[in-house]
Amino acid sequence: MNILRNKFYRTIMGAVTIAASMLGLSSCGAINDDLPPCPEGVALRFVFDYNMEFANAFPSQVDCLTLLVYDADGNYITTRTETTQVLADENWRMVIDLPAGKSYHFVAYGGLECPKSTFGFVNTPASGSTLQQLQVSMDAECIDADPGKELHPLFYGDLDMTVPAGALDYTAGTVYMMRDTNTLRILLQNVDGTPCNAEDFVFKITDNNTLFNYDNSVIATPSGITYSPYVTGQAGAGLTEDGDDALLAYAEFSLSRLTEHSGARLTISNAVSGEPVLSIPLVNYLLLLRSQQFATMGDQEFLDREHRWNMILFLEQGRWIDTRIVINDWIVRINHADL
């Protein structure tokens, strides 16, 4: 009896499945010209998990979105934007009607359409433009600004996909994104416990990373950029063994994408005498943070996944003790031969 019952159940369920499929097919013009045509195009999900947590942070970090659509030959087709709260919904998809049977290239930017955006298109994509002409640049008022500007987060992602002919619904795709902006907080501490004041120092970072190509690679410009901190001050770290407040100087920078061969350099000098306190290759030092857990991760991947950096530099009589540094809570012993 159980065998007969199972056969009967499978027969009934098979008939239900076929009926449901036929009902779905008949809901659009795939088999009936009197019905509306089946939807053609894409339903795109956006994911930002290219971070050190390896978790999707798109809903919490991206507050405006720009999507550019190009054909298989790189010719511009259209632009879609989204600036509402739907971006915070994990289940949200951007739906775009596109002809089926063709391939497309999508380029997505997070952060361009926001009121506080600090990056923009060099030339706004329009009819007749191509993918190879696409460039994004830091706003002019942010370049060499002193005090520095706090950059609005910038994200990039792209996707190649085909909308198959005869599809009965929108074709699903996922655009994986990465973050192009960083925050770097510098702390200066005197080893003898005496207070350290940010007003006694001038903090600068030089780099050449204000212009991005269509593939998110950094294009060098003739002048590069000198970053100044957008905020400086003094912070307490608690009482020393002598009962005094341990006061540290801090300076916080907002930086564009860091690349492994950029030559970015951090310099700190005495505000009164102008004498150098330190001058170090910034990227080389940041890469010292990479622990054994991420030993197989490439340099550029590590720089792109991490975007919050903290460095504690120890001073003695106004000069950097260059054998010790703390980066993101990791104490690093310096081997100059590696730098």
Side-chain angles (χ1 to χ4, degrees), residues 187-190 195-204 229 232-234 248-251 267-272 274-278 313 315-320:
L187 290 162
L188 297 182
Q189 179 176 359
N190 285 319
C196 201
N197 196 328
E199 295 179 355
D200 297 335
F201 304 93
V202 176
F203 302 82
K204 299 289 182 184
T232 59
Q234 198 173 44
L248 284 68
Y250 69 83
T267 60
I268 303 176
S269 56
N270 186 287
V272 176
E275 294 183 357
V277 175
L278 65 85
L313 305 165
L315 305 180
E316 187 173 34
Q317 297 181 349
R319 294 187 179 277
W320 177 43

PDB file of all heavy atoms in Angstrom, residues 187-190 195-204 229 232-234 248-251 267-272 274-278 313 315-320:
ATOM      1  N   LEU A 187      48.567  58.547  15.698  1.00  0.00           N
ATOM      2  CA  LEU A 187      48.725  58.929  17.098  1.00  0.00           C
ATOM      3  C   LEU A 187      50.208  59.063  17.407  1.00  0.00           C
ATOM      4  O   LEU A 187      51.007  58.185  17.050  1.00  0.00           O
ATOM      5  CB  LEU A 187      48.095  57.890  18.016  1.00  0.00           C
ATOM      6  CG  LEU A 187      46.565  57.817  18.014  1.00  0.00           C
ATOM      7  CD1 LEU A 187      46.094  56.500  18.596  1.00  0.00           C
ATOM      8  CD2 LEU A 187      45.981  58.977  18.798  1.00  0.00           C
ATOM      9  N   LEU A 188      50.582  60.159  18.070  1.00  0.00           N
ATOM     10  CA  LEU A 188      51.959  60.372  18.512  1.00  0.00           C
ATOM     11  C   LEU A 188      51.997  60.327  20.029  1.00  0.00           C
ATOM     12  O   LEU A 188      51.210  61.003  20.706  1.00  0.00           O
ATOM     13  CB  LEU A 188      52.482  61.731  18.024  1.00  0.00           C
ATOM     14  CG  LEU A 188      52.591  61.951  16.520  1.00  0.00           C
ATOM     15  CD1 LEU A 188      53.180  63.333  16.235  1.00  0.00           C
ATOM     16  CD2 LEU A 188      53.452  60.880  15.877  1.00  0.00           C
ATOM     17  N   GLN A 189      52.928  59.533  20.567  1.00  0.00           N
ATOM     18  CA  GLN A 189      53.039  59.380  22.019  1.00  0.00           C
ATOM     19  C   GLN A 189      54.490  59.531  22.442  1.00  0.00           C
ATOM     20  O   GLN A 189      55.395  58.921  21.846  1.00  0.00           O
ATOM     21  CB  GLN A 189      52.518  58.017  22.460  1.00  0.00           C
ATOM     22  CG  GLN A 189      52.620  57.784  23.967  1.00  0.00           C
ATOM     23  CD  GLN A 189      51.994  56.464  24.395  1.00  0.00           C
ATOM     24  OE1 GLN A 189      51.465  55.729  23.575  1.00  0.00           O
ATOM     25  NE2 GLN A 189      52.059  56.160  25.685  1.00  0.00           N
ATOM     26  N   ASN A 190      54.726  60.349  23.466  1.00  0.00           N
ATOM     27  CA  ASN A 190      56.061  60.470  24.046  1.00  0.00           C
ATOM     28  C   ASN A 190      56.307  59.308  25.006  1.00  0.00           C
ATOM     29  O   ASN A 190      55.465  59.017  25.869  1.00  0.00           O
ATOM     30  CB  ASN A 190      56.209  61.794  24.808  1.00  0.00           C
ATOM     31  CG  ASN A 190      56.360  62.981  23.877  1.00  0.00           C
ATOM     32  OD1 ASN A 190      57.060  62.895  22.863  1.00  0.00           O
ATOM     33  ND2 ASN A 190      55.705  64.086  24.203  1.00  0.00           N
ATOM     34  N   PRO A 195      53.032  65.078  27.876  1.00  0.00           N
ATOM     35  CA  PRO A 195      51.964  65.286  26.894  1.00  0.00           C
ATOM     36  C   PRO A 195      52.505  65.562  25.496  1.00  0.00           C
ATOM     37  O   PRO A 195      53.567  66.166  25.326  1.00  0.00           O
ATOM     38  CB  PRO A 195      51.211  66.501  27.447  1.00  0.00           C
ATOM     39  CG  PRO A 195      51.534  66.521  28.904  1.00  0.00           C
ATOM     40  CD  PRO A 195      52.937  66.001  29.004  1.00  0.00           C
ATOM     41  N   CYS A 196      51.779  65.124  24.507  1.00  0.00           N
ATOM     42  CA  CYS A 196      52.119  65.342  23.105  1.00  0.00           C
ATOM     43  C   CYS A 196      50.976  66.141  22.490  1.00  0.00           C
ATOM     44  O   CYS A 196      49.813  65.722  22.568  1.00  0.00           O
ATOM     45  CB  CYS A 196      52.293  64.005  22.399  1.00  0.00           C
ATOM     46  SG  CYS A 196      53.268  64.074  20.900  1.00  0.00           S
ATOM     47  N   ASN A 197      51.279  67.277  21.883  1.00  0.00           N
ATOM     48  CA  ASN A 197      50.264  68.180  21.363  1.00  0.00           C
ATOM     49  C   ASN A 197      50.326  68.215  19.844  1.00  0.00           C
ATOM     50  O   ASN A 197      51.390  68.436  19.257  1.00  0.00           O
ATOM     51  CB  ASN A 197      50.463  69.585  21.924  1.00  0.00           C
ATOM     52  CG  ASN A 197      49.237  70.464  21.732  1.00  0.00           C
ATOM     53  OD1 ASN A 197      48.501  70.326  20.755  1.00  0.00           O
ATOM     54  ND2 ASN A 197      49.019  71.370  22.674  1.00  0.00           N
ATOM     55  N   ALA A 198      49.172  68.017  19.179  1.00  0.00           N
ATOM     56  CA  ALA A 198      49.139  68.007  17.715  1.00  0.00           C
ATOM     57  C   ALA A 198      49.558  69.336  17.116  1.00  0.00           C
ATOM     58  O   ALA A 198      50.066  69.382  15.986  1.00  0.00           O
ATOM     59  CB  ALA A 198      47.732  67.638  17.239  1.00  0.00           C
ATOM     60  N   GLU A 199      49.368  70.450  17.866  1.00  0.00           N
ATOM     61  CA  GLU A 199      49.732  71.757  17.334  1.00  0.00           C
ATOM     62  C   GLU A 199      51.236  71.916  17.159  1.00  0.00           C
ATOM     63  O   GLU A 199      51.685  72.838  16.467  1.00  0.00           O
ATOM     64  CB  GLU A 199      49.188  72.857  18.246  1.00  0.00           C
ATOM     65  CG  GLU A 199      47.663  72.902  18.297  1.00  0.00           C
ATOM     66  CD  GLU A 199      47.161  73.990  19.218  1.00  0.00           C
ATOM     67  OE1 GLU A 199      48.001  74.641  19.890  1.00  0.00           O
ATOM     68  OE2 GLU A 199      45.931  74.193  19.283  1.00  0.00           O
ATOM     69  N   ASP A 200      52.007  71.026  17.759  1.00  0.00           N
ATOM     70  CA  ASP A 200      53.466  71.095  17.641  1.00  0.00           C
ATOM     71  C   ASP A 200      53.987  70.436  16.370  1.00  0.00           C
ATOM     72  O   ASP A 200      55.197  70.461  16.118  1.00  0.00           O
ATOM     73  CB  ASP A 200      54.124  70.424  18.853  1.00  0.00           C
ATOM     74  CG  ASP A 200      53.801  71.133  20.157  1.00  0.00           C
ATOM     75  OD1 ASP A 200      53.500  72.350  20.112  1.00  0.00           O
ATOM     76  OD2 ASP A 200      53.820  70.475  21.221  1.00  0.00           O
ATOM     77  N   PHE A 201      53.075  69.871  15.571  1.00  0.00           N
ATOM     78  CA  PHE A 201      53.510  69.088  14.415  1.00  0.00           C
ATOM     79  C   PHE A 201      52.715  69.468  13.165  1.00  0.00           C
ATOM     80  O   PHE A 201      51.581  69.942  13.242  1.00  0.00           O
ATOM     81  CB  PHE A 201      53.349  67.587  14.691  1.00  0.00           C
ATOM     82  CG  PHE A 201      54.062  67.109  15.918  1.00  0.00           C
ATOM     83  CD1 PHE A 201      53.408  67.043  17.151  1.00  0.00           C
ATOM     84  CD2 PHE A 201      55.397  66.738  15.859  1.00  0.00           C
ATOM     85  CE1 PHE A 201      54.056  66.614  18.283  1.00  0.00           C
ATOM     86  CE2 PHE A 201      56.069  66.296  16.993  1.00  0.00           C
ATOM     87  CZ  PHE A 201      55.395  66.233  18.217  1.00  0.00           C
ATOM     88  N   VAL A 202      53.340  69.215  12.028  1.00  0.00           N
ATOM     89  CA  VAL A 202      52.671  69.352  10.733  1.00  0.00           C
ATOM     90  C   VAL A 202      52.632  67.961  10.103  1.00  0.00           C
ATOM     91  O   VAL A 202      53.677  67.323   9.910  1.00  0.00           O
ATOM     92  CB  VAL A 202      53.408  70.337   9.805  1.00  0.00           C
ATOM     93  CG1 VAL A 202      52.740  70.371   8.432  1.00  0.00           C
ATOM     94  CG2 VAL A 202      53.434  71.730  10.418  1.00  0.00           C
ATOM     95  N   PHE A 203      51.423  67.481   9.790  1.00  0.00           N
ATOM     96  CA  PHE A 203      51.226  66.146   9.228  1.00  0.00           C
ATOM     97  C   PHE A 203      50.878  66.267   7.747  1.00  0.00           C
ATOM     98  O   PHE A 203      49.981  67.036   7.374  1.00  0.00           O
ATOM     99  CB  PHE A 203      50.069  65.431   9.943  1.00  0.00           C
ATOM    100  CG  PHE A 203      50.231  65.287  11.431  1.00  0.00           C
ATOM    101  CD1 PHE A 203      49.906  66.333  12.288  1.00  0.00           C
ATOM    102  CD2 PHE A 203      50.674  64.089  11.980  1.00  0.00           C
ATOM    103  CE1 PHE A 203      50.030  66.197  13.660  1.00  0.00           C
ATOM    104  CE2 PHE A 203      50.801  63.939  13.350  1.00  0.00           C
ATOM    105  CZ  PHE A 203      50.480  64.997  14.198  1.00  0.00           C
ATOM    106  N   LYS A 204      51.543  65.476   6.900  1.00  0.00           N
ATOM    107  CA  LYS A 204      51.258  65.477   5.470  1.00  0.00           C
ATOM    108  C   LYS A 204      51.389  64.057   4.907  1.00  0.00           C
ATOM    109  O   LYS A 204      52.219  63.269   5.373  1.00  0.00           O
ATOM    110  CB  LYS A 204      52.222  66.392   4.700  1.00  0.00           C
ATOM    111  CG  LYS A 204      52.183  67.861   5.101  1.00  0.00           C
ATOM    112  CD  LYS A 204      50.892  68.538   4.654  1.00  0.00           C
ATOM    113  CE  LYS A 204      50.906  70.020   5.013  1.00  0.00           C
ATOM    114  NZ  LYS A 204      49.618  70.689   4.664  1.00  0.00           N
ATOM    115  N   PRO A 229      45.514  66.454   7.291  1.00  0.00           N
ATOM    116  CA  PRO A 229      44.464  65.860   8.129  1.00  0.00           C
ATOM    117  C   PRO A 229      43.220  66.741   8.165  1.00  0.00           C
ATOM    118  O   PRO A 229      43.320  67.969   8.156  1.00  0.00           O
ATOM    119  CB  PRO A 229      45.125  65.758   9.500  1.00  0.00           C
ATOM    120  CG  PRO A 229      46.259  66.722   9.476  1.00  0.00           C
ATOM    121  CD  PRO A 229      46.721  66.794   8.065  1.00  0.00           C
ATOM    122  N   THR A 232      42.619  67.323  13.812  1.00  0.00           N
ATOM    123  CA  THR A 232      43.752  67.047  14.702  1.00  0.00           C
ATOM    124  C   THR A 232      43.326  67.369  16.127  1.00  0.00           C
ATOM    125  O   THR A 232      42.333  68.071  16.360  1.00  0.00           O
ATOM    126  CB  THR A 232      44.995  67.889  14.342  1.00  0.00           C
ATOM    127  OG1 THR A 232      44.649  69.286  14.422  1.00  0.00           O
ATOM    128  CG2 THR A 232      45.491  67.566  12.935  1.00  0.00           C
ATOM    129  N   GLY A 233      44.079  66.856  17.086  1.00  0.00           N
ATOM    130  CA  GLY A 233      43.739  67.150  18.465  1.00  0.00           C
ATOM    131  C   GLY A 233      44.580  66.361  19.433  1.00  0.00           C
ATOM    132  O   GLY A 233      45.648  65.830  19.081  1.00  0.00           O
ATOM    133  N   GLN A 234      44.078  66.280  20.638  1.00  0.00           N
ATOM    134  CA  GLN A 234      44.789  65.603  21.719  1.00  0.00           C
ATOM    135  C   GLN A 234      43.817  64.656  22.414  1.00  0.00           C
ATOM    136  O   GLN A 234      42.667  65.002  22.667  1.00  0.00           O
ATOM    137  CB  GLN A 234      45.344  66.628  22.713  1.00  0.00           C
ATOM    138  CG  GLN A 234      46.429  66.112  23.622  1.00  0.00           C
ATOM    139  CD  GLN A 234      47.046  67.236  24.462  1.00  0.00           C
ATOM    140  OE1 GLN A 234      46.342  68.078  25.000  1.00  0.00           O
ATOM    141  NE2 GLN A 234      48.373  67.255  24.562  1.00  0.00           N
ATOM    142  N   LEU A 248      48.092  62.023  24.106  1.00  0.00           N
ATOM    143  CA  LEU A 248      48.654  61.745  22.780  1.00  0.00           C
ATOM    144  C   LEU A 248      48.114  62.756  21.779  1.00  0.00           C
ATOM    145  O   LEU A 248      46.975  63.227  21.877  1.00  0.00           O
ATOM    146  CB  LEU A 248      48.281  60.340  22.315  1.00  0.00           C
ATOM    147  CG  LEU A 248      49.012  59.144  22.920  1.00  0.00           C
ATOM    148  CD1 LEU A 248      48.668  58.953  24.390  1.00  0.00           C
ATOM    149  CD2 LEU A 248      48.677  57.868  22.134  1.00  0.00           C
ATOM    150  N   ALA A 249      48.925  63.086  20.792  1.00  0.00           N
ATOM    151  CA  ALA A 249      48.467  63.906  19.677  1.00  0.00           C
ATOM    152  C   ALA A 249      47.895  62.991  18.602  1.00  0.00           C
ATOM    153  O   ALA A 249      48.383  61.879  18.398  1.00  0.00           O
ATOM    154  CB  ALA A 249      49.629  64.716  19.106  1.00  0.00           C
ATOM    155  N   TYR A 250      46.832  63.453  17.923  1.00  0.00           N
ATOM    156  CA  TYR A 250      46.283  62.658  16.831  1.00  0.00           C
ATOM    157  C   TYR A 250      46.008  63.534  15.619  1.00  0.00           C
ATOM    158  O   TYR A 250      45.775  64.739  15.715  1.00  0.00           O
ATOM    159  CB  TYR A 250      45.019  61.909  17.257  1.00  0.00           C
ATOM    160  CG  TYR A 250      43.807  62.783  17.516  1.00  0.00           C
ATOM    161  CD1 TYR A 250      42.988  63.212  16.472  1.00  0.00           C
ATOM    162  CD2 TYR A 250      43.465  63.167  18.821  1.00  0.00           C
ATOM    163  CE1 TYR A 250      41.875  64.001  16.702  1.00  0.00           C
ATOM    164  CE2 TYR A 250      42.365  63.956  19.064  1.00  0.00           C
ATOM    165  CZ  TYR A 250      41.567  64.372  18.001  1.00  0.00           C
ATOM    166  OH  TYR A 250      40.474  65.170  18.242  1.00  0.00           O
ATOM    167  N   ALA A 251      46.075  62.879  14.464  1.00  0.00           N
ATOM    168  CA  ALA A 251      45.728  63.513  13.192  1.00  0.00           C
ATOM    169  C   ALA A 251      45.013  62.464  12.353  1.00  0.00           C
ATOM    170  O   ALA A 251      45.474  61.326  12.252  1.00  0.00           O
ATOM    171  CB  ALA A 251      46.971  64.021  12.472  1.00  0.00           C
ATOM    172  N   THR A 267      54.793  62.211   6.128  1.00  0.00           N
ATOM    173  CA  THR A 267      55.838  63.046   6.733  1.00  0.00           C
ATOM    174  C   THR A 267      55.235  63.826   7.892  1.00  0.00           C
ATOM    175  O   THR A 267      54.104  64.315   7.809  1.00  0.00           O
ATOM    176  CB  THR A 267      56.452  64.040   5.719  1.00  0.00           C
ATOM    177  OG1 THR A 267      55.424  64.904   5.221  1.00  0.00           O
ATOM    178  CG2 THR A 267      57.102  63.296   4.563  1.00  0.00           C
ATOM    179  N   ILE A 268      56.001  63.921   8.954  1.00  0.00           N
ATOM    180  CA  ILE A 268      55.622  64.722  10.114  1.00  0.00           C
ATOM    181  C   ILE A 268      56.823  65.600  10.448  1.00  0.00           C
ATOM    182  O   ILE A 268      57.956  65.117  10.521  1.00  0.00           O
ATOM    183  CB  ILE A 268      55.248  63.847  11.320  1.00  0.00           C
ATOM    184  CG1 ILE A 268      54.108  62.891  10.959  1.00  0.00           C
ATOM    185  CG2 ILE A 268      54.846  64.716  12.509  1.00  0.00           C
ATOM    186  CD1 ILE A 268      53.740  61.918  12.074  1.00  0.00           C
ATOM    187  N   SER A 269      56.562  66.875  10.621  1.00  0.00           N
ATOM    188  CA  SER A 269      57.652  67.798  10.920  1.00  0.00           C
ATOM    189  C   SER A 269      57.283  68.673  12.109  1.00  0.00           C
ATOM    190  O   SER A 269      56.100  68.799  12.474  1.00  0.00           O
ATOM    191  CB  SER A 269      57.977  68.666   9.704  1.00  0.00           C
ATOM    192  OG  SER A 269      56.830  69.359   9.261  1.00  0.00           O
ATOM    193  N   ASN A 270      58.292  69.290  12.710  1.00  0.00           N
ATOM    194  CA  ASN A 270      58.088  70.193  13.836  1.00  0.00           C
ATOM    195  C   ASN A 270      57.450  71.473  13.325  1.00  0.00           C
ATOM    196  O   ASN A 270      57.935  72.089  12.375  1.00  0.00           O
ATOM    197  CB  ASN A 270      59.415  70.487  14.523  1.00  0.00           C
ATOM    198  CG  ASN A 270      59.245  71.308  15.776  1.00  0.00           C
ATOM    199  OD1 ASN A 270      58.973  72.490  15.722  1.00  0.00           O
ATOM    200  ND2 ASN A 270      59.419  70.660  16.919  1.00  0.00           N
ATOM    201  N   ALA A 271      56.354  71.892  13.942  1.00  0.00           N
ATOM    202  CA  ALA A 271      55.602  73.040  13.450  1.00  0.00           C
ATOM    203  C   ALA A 271      56.373  74.349  13.595  1.00  0.00           C
ATOM    204  O   ALA A 271      56.130  75.301  12.843  1.00  0.00           O
ATOM    205  CB  ALA A 271      54.268  73.143  14.182  1.00  0.00           C
ATOM    206  N   VAL A 272      57.304  74.421  14.531  1.00  0.00           N
ATOM    207  CA  VAL A 272      58.050  75.665  14.765  1.00  0.00           C
ATOM    208  C   VAL A 272      59.345  75.689  13.966  1.00  0.00           C
ATOM    209  O   VAL A 272      59.605  76.621  13.193  1.00  0.00           O
ATOM    210  CB  VAL A 272      58.353  75.836  16.276  1.00  0.00           C
ATOM    211  CG1 VAL A 272      59.208  77.087  16.500  1.00  0.00           C
ATOM    212  CG2 VAL A 272      57.065  75.919  17.064  1.00  0.00           C
ATOM    213  N   GLY A 274      60.369  73.353  11.693  1.00  0.00           N
ATOM    214  CA  GLY A 274      60.313  72.738  10.372  1.00  0.00           C
ATOM    215  C   GLY A 274      61.157  71.490  10.250  1.00  0.00           C
ATOM    216  O   GLY A 274      61.177  70.859   9.186  1.00  0.00           O
ATOM    217  N   GLU A 275      61.848  71.113  11.306  1.00  0.00           N
ATOM    218  CA  GLU A 275      62.697  69.930  11.255  1.00  0.00           C
ATOM    219  C   GLU A 275      61.840  68.663  11.127  1.00  0.00           C
ATOM    220  O   GLU A 275      60.775  68.566  11.733  1.00  0.00           O
ATOM    221  CB  GLU A 275      63.571  69.840  12.508  1.00  0.00           C
ATOM    222  CG  GLU A 275      64.606  70.943  12.628  1.00  0.00           C
ATOM    223  CD  GLU A 275      65.477  70.757  13.859  1.00  0.00           C
ATOM    224  OE1 GLU A 275      65.212  69.794  14.625  1.00  0.00           O
ATOM    225  OE2 GLU A 275      66.400  71.563  14.058  1.00  0.00           O
ATOM    226  N   PRO A 276      62.323  67.697  10.351  1.00  0.00           N
ATOM    227  CA  PRO A 276      61.536  66.460  10.173  1.00  0.00           C
ATOM    228  C   PRO A 276      61.527  65.614  11.440  1.00  0.00           C
ATOM    229  O   PRO A 276      62.563  65.444  12.098  1.00  0.00           O
ATOM    230  CB  PRO A 276      62.264  65.754   9.028  1.00  0.00           C
ATOM    231  CG  PRO A 276      63.670  66.278   9.081  1.00  0.00           C
ATOM    232  CD  PRO A 276      63.559  67.696   9.556  1.00  0.00           C
ATOM    233  N   VAL A 277      60.357  65.097  11.750  1.00  0.00           N
ATOM    234  CA  VAL A 277      60.204  64.127  12.835  1.00  0.00           C
ATOM    235  C   VAL A 277      60.282  62.725  12.257  1.00  0.00           C
ATOM    236  O   VAL A 277      60.924  61.846  12.814  1.00  0.00           O
ATOM    237  CB  VAL A 277      58.867  64.346  13.568  1.00  0.00           C
ATOM    238  CG1 VAL A 277      58.634  63.261  14.613  1.00  0.00           C
ATOM    239  CG2 VAL A 277      58.834  65.722  14.214  1.00  0.00           C
ATOM    240  N   LEU A 278      59.633  62.524  11.115  1.00  0.00           N
ATOM    241  CA  LEU A 278      59.736  61.252  10.401  1.00  0.00           C
ATOM    242  C   LEU A 278      59.292  61.447   8.966  1.00  0.00           C
ATOM    243  O   LEU A 278      58.581  62.390   8.622  1.00  0.00           O
ATOM    244  CB  LEU A 278      58.882  60.161  11.073  1.00  0.00           C
ATOM    245  CG  LEU A 278      57.357  60.316  11.097  1.00  0.00           C
ATOM    246  CD1 LEU A 278      56.718  59.789   9.822  1.00  0.00           C
ATOM    247  CD2 LEU A 278      56.775  59.558  12.283  1.00  0.00           C
ATOM    248  N   LEU A 313      52.793  56.097  16.783  1.00  0.00           N
ATOM    249  CA  LEU A 313      54.224  56.329  16.615  1.00  0.00           C
ATOM    250  C   LEU A 313      54.778  56.885  17.925  1.00  0.00           C
ATOM    251  O   LEU A 313      54.192  57.795  18.517  1.00  0.00           O
ATOM    252  CB  LEU A 313      54.473  57.323  15.473  1.00  0.00           C
ATOM    253  CG  LEU A 313      53.849  56.932  14.130  1.00  0.00           C
ATOM    254  CD1 LEU A 313      53.832  58.112  13.178  1.00  0.00           C
ATOM    255  CD2 LEU A 313      54.611  55.766  13.519  1.00  0.00           C
ATOM    256  N   LEU A 315      57.596  58.772  20.243  1.00  0.00           N
ATOM    257  CA  LEU A 315      58.601  59.824  20.134  1.00  0.00           C
ATOM    258  C   LEU A 315      59.453  59.878  21.398  1.00  0.00           C
ATOM    259  O   LEU A 315      58.999  59.577  22.499  1.00  0.00           O
ATOM    260  CB  LEU A 315      57.942  61.197  19.928  1.00  0.00           C
ATOM    261  CG  LEU A 315      56.965  61.347  18.765  1.00  0.00           C
ATOM    262  CD1 LEU A 315      56.412  62.767  18.726  1.00  0.00           C
ATOM    263  CD2 LEU A 315      57.629  60.996  17.445  1.00  0.00           C
ATOM    264  N   GLU A 316      60.711  60.287  21.201  1.00  0.00           N
ATOM    265  CA  GLU A 316      61.631  60.548  22.308  1.00  0.00           C
ATOM    266  C   GLU A 316      62.391  61.822  21.994  1.00  0.00           C
ATOM    267  O   GLU A 316      63.092  61.906  20.976  1.00  0.00           O
ATOM    268  CB  GLU A 316      62.594  59.380  22.509  1.00  0.00           C
ATOM    269  CG  GLU A 316      63.457  59.531  23.746  1.00  0.00           C
ATOM    270  CD  GLU A 316      64.275  58.277  24.022  1.00  0.00           C
ATOM    271  OE1 GLU A 316      64.686  57.614  23.043  1.00  0.00           O
ATOM    272  OE2 GLU A 316      64.492  57.961  25.202  1.00  0.00           O
ATOM    273  N   GLN A 317      62.184  62.843  22.847  1.00  0.00           N
ATOM    274  CA  GLN A 317      62.792  64.157  22.636  1.00  0.00           C
ATOM    275  C   GLN A 317      62.471  64.697  21.240  1.00  0.00           C
ATOM    276  O   GLN A 317      63.331  65.249  20.554  1.00  0.00           O
ATOM    277  CB  GLN A 317      64.316  64.078  22.846  1.00  0.00           C
ATOM    278  CG  GLN A 317      64.690  63.687  24.267  1.00  0.00           C
ATOM    279  CD  GLN A 317      66.193  63.630  24.486  1.00  0.00           C
ATOM    280  OE1 GLN A 317      66.972  63.689  23.528  1.00  0.00           O
ATOM    281  NE2 GLN A 317      66.601  63.529  25.746  1.00  0.00           N
ATOM    282  N   GLY A 318      61.218  64.538  20.859  1.00  0.00           N
ATOM    283  CA  GLY A 318      60.755  65.126  19.609  1.00  0.00           C
ATOM    284  C   GLY A 318      61.109  64.353  18.365  1.00  0.00           C
ATOM    285  O   GLY A 318      60.834  64.811  17.250  1.00  0.00           O
ATOM    286  N   ARG A 319      61.703  63.180  18.506  1.00  0.00           N
ATOM    287  CA  ARG A 319      62.069  62.377  17.328  1.00  0.00           C
ATOM    288  C   ARG A 319      61.424  60.992  17.435  1.00  0.00           C
ATOM    289  O   ARG A 319      61.212  60.466  18.522  1.00  0.00           O
ATOM    290  CB  ARG A 319      63.591  62.247  17.201  1.00  0.00           C
ATOM    291  CG  ARG A 319      64.274  63.564  16.917  1.00  0.00           C
ATOM    292  CD  ARG A 319      65.751  63.390  16.624  1.00  0.00           C
ATOM    293  NE  ARG A 319      66.393  64.662  16.339  1.00  0.00           N
ATOM    294  CZ  ARG A 319      66.376  65.239  15.151  1.00  0.00           C
ATOM    295  NH1 ARG A 319      65.771  64.646  14.136  1.00  0.00           N
ATOM    296  NH2 ARG A 319      66.967  66.409  14.959  1.00  0.00           N
ATOM    297  N   TRP A 320      61.141  60.432  16.270  1.00  0.00           N
ATOM    298  CA  TRP A 320      60.496  59.130  16.216  1.00  0.00           C
ATOM    299  C   TRP A 320      61.466  58.029  16.603  1.00  0.00           C
ATOM    300  O   TRP A 320      62.612  57.966  16.120  1.00  0.00           O
ATOM    301  CB  TRP A 320      59.966  58.893  14.796  1.00  0.00           C
ATOM    302  CG  TRP A 320      59.340  57.548  14.581  1.00  0.00           C
ATOM    303  CD1 TRP A 320      58.490  56.893  15.407  1.00  0.00           C
ATOM    304  CD2 TRP A 320      59.508  56.694  13.446  1.00  0.00           C
ATOM    305  NE1 TRP A 320      58.098  55.690  14.882  1.00  0.00           N
ATOM    306  CE2 TRP A 320      58.712  55.536  13.662  1.00  0.00           C
ATOM    307  CE3 TRP A 320      60.234  56.787  12.255  1.00  0.00           C
ATOM    308  CZ2 TRP A 320      58.647  54.490  12.746  1.00  0.00           C
ATOM    309  CZ3 TRP A 320      60.159  55.763  11.352  1.00  0.00           C
ATOM    310  CH2 TRP A 320      59.370  54.617  11.592  1.00  0.00           C
TER     311      TRP A 320
END
